[in-house]
């Protein structure tokens, strides 16, 4: 099996590539940076920048394309934080590529696990300053996990409400047509 056959299984290979790229780049730079740089500032800035790029790509691009979900948080007039969710309609969600979706969710969760493992290693090695880098990267990752998980639950609830309304309206129209004949 060559690389082109693997790519053919994904409906959006470029989006999948960039979805994984920034996660892998942030993790790889953080892990390998100790070999090349002596400066904590460079490691912090580059790792957080790559993680921020990952956050943006996942939240605004790959989430929409790979799983049909989008979330954001805004402050209302009362100063309260309000979560907003968007999802594709039921037909479009049903047509989403299963491999794209699988890649999206697994890499989202696995990257968080990787940051947690790296955090444990930093604790063991008493590198409190590197915990700051890991904390920022993990926070960005968890924000996407929470946002997309809430969005997925909201989407499922909307689909159930749509199905219930559709069944109720069809049942109602069937009853009306049955009694209008009499």
């Amino acid at each position: 099996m060559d690389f082109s056959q693997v790519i053919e299984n994904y409906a959006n290979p470029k989006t999948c590539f960039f979805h994984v790229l920034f996660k892998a780049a942030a993790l790889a730079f953080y892990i390998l940076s100790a070999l090349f740089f002596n400066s904590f500032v460079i490691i912090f800035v580059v790792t957080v920048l790559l993680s921020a790029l990952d956050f943006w790509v996942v939240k605004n691009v790959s989430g929409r394309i790979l799983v049909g979900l989008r979330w954001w948080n805004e402050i209302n007039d009362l100063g309260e934080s309000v979560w907003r969710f968007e999802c594709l309609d039921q037909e479009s969600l049903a047509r989403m590529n299963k491999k794209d979706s699988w890649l999206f969710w697994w890499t989202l969760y696995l990257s968080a696990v990787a940051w947690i493992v790296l955090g444990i290693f930093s604790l063991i090695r008493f590198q409190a300053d590197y915990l700051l880098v890991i904390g920022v990267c993990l926070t960005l990752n968890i924000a996407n996990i929470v946002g997309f998980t809430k969005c997925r639950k909201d989407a499922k609830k909307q689909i159930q409400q749509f199905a219930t309304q559709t069944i109720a309206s069809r049942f109602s129209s069937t009853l009306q047509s049955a009694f209008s004949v009499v």
Side-chain angles (χ1 to χ4, degrees):
M1 178 180 279
D2 65 15
F3 185 69
S4 63
Q5 289 175 326
V6 171
I7 296 250
E8 288 175 11
N9 294 328
Y10 292 96
N12 302 288
K14 290 178 185 171
T15 305
C16 290
F17 173 76
F18 285 104
H19 178 73
V20 174
L21 175 70
F22 291 115
K23 287 175 187 12
L27 286 163
F29 184 83
Y30 177 80
I31 292 167
L32 299 174
S33 61
L35 301 173
F36 303 106
F37 301 107
N38 235 359
S39 172
F40 171 75
V41 174
I42 291 173
I43 295 169
F44 179 87
V45 169
V46 174
T47 304
V48 170
L49 179 66
L50 290 169
S51 194
L53 286 169
D54 171 58
F55 174 82
W56 186 87
V57 166
V58 171
K59 184 177 172 300
N60 296 307
V61 180
S62 63
R64 281 176 144 178
I65 295 171
L66 300 180
V67 291
L69 302 172
R70 183 173 167 231
W71 67 270
W72 66 96
N73 190 295
E74 60 189 25
I75 306 300
N76 66 12
D77 294 337
L78 302 173
E80 299 167 335
S81 178
V82 179
W83 288 83
R84 303 281 184 206
F85 306 108
E86 277 183 4
C87 66
L88 294 176
D89 59 36
Q90 185 177 1
E91 289 177 28
S92 299
L93 283 173
R95 287 193 312 260
M96 298 301 288
N97 184 290
K98 300 285 187 233
K99 282 195 123 179
D100 287 359
S101 178
W102 180 89
L103 178 86
F104 177 86
W105 290 108
W106 274 96
T107 56
L108 195 63
Y109 290 117
L110 285 177
S111 60
V113 169
W115 286 115
I116 290 169
V117 169
L118 290 170
I120 292 167
F121 284 137
S122 287
L123 275 173
I124 292 170
R125 294 186 328 212
F126 299 109
Q127 292 179 320
D129 49 350
Y130 286 93
L131 282 174
L132 180 63
V133 178
I134 293 166
V136 171
C137 296
L138 187 58
T139 300
L140 291 170
N141 203 294
I142 288 175
N144 266 333
I145 290 172
V146 169
F148 281 108
T149 302
K150 284 185 172 191
C151 193
R152 182 170 58 176
K153 287 179 182 175
D154 189 62
K156 285 180 181 177
K157 186 172 30 171
Q158 287 178 5
I159 289 169
Q160 287 173 343
Q161 287 173 345
F162 174 76
T164 303
Q165 290 172 350
T166 303
I167 291 169
S169 68
R170 290 201 181 187
F171 181 72
S172 172
S173 65
T174 303
L175 282 177
Q176 286 176 347
S177 65
F179 285 116
S180 64
V181 173
V182 176

